């Protein structure tokens, strides 16, 4: 799941999406994430959030947890938590 609201600049992505998928989706919209960990980009976003993997190529941006401004958790039946 990936959605972008260009008016509010809100990007919504599922935690099970891979970092590579997120970067590709953003690049197609002309956007740049700024997160380049020294880890396999085929891991899920959740992998990077839970492990707080540092952004080793671009220190000024921090870990992906520092880039996330909000979090919406959905239950398996689709209801928000």
């Amino acid at each position: 799941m990936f959605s972008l609201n260009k008016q509010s600049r809100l990007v919504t992505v599922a935690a099970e999406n891979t970092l590579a998928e997120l970067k590709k989706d953003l690049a197609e919209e002309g956007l740049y994430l700024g997160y380049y960990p020294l880890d396999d980009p085929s891991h899920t976003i959740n992998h990077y959030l839970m492990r707080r993997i540092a952004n080793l190529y671009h220190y000024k941006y921090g870990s992906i947890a520092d880039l996330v401004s909000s979090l919406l958790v959905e239950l398996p039946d689709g209801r928000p938590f």
Side-chain angles (χ1 to χ4, degrees), residues 6-34:
K6 291 183 180 181
Q7 191 169 21
S8 69
R9 300 181 186 159
L10 175 67
V11 174
T12 305
V13 63
E16 60 268 4
N17 281 30
T18 67
L19 180 60
E21 290 171 333
L22 175 58
K23 287 183 176 186
K24 179 183 152 293
D25 290 338
L26 288 171
E28 288 174 358
E29 296 292 337
L31 300 172
Y32 170 72
L33 181 61

Side-chain angles (χ1 to χ4, degrees), residues 16-60:
E16 60 268 4
N17 281 30
T18 67
L19 180 60
E21 290 171 333
L22 175 58
K23 287 183 176 186
K24 179 183 152 293
D25 290 338
L26 288 171
E28 288 174 358
E29 296 292 337
L31 300 172
Y32 170 72
L33 181 61
Y35 181 61
Y36 286 91
L38 289 176
D39 202 345
D40 184 356
S42 67
H43 287 299
T44 65
I45 301 299
N46 189 55
H47 169 85
Y48 297 101
L49 286 170
M50 297 304 291
R51 289 167 183 78
R52 297 188 60 81
I53 296 173
N55 192 359
L56 298 176
Y57 290 147
H58 299 284
Y59 296 110
K60 71 179 183 177

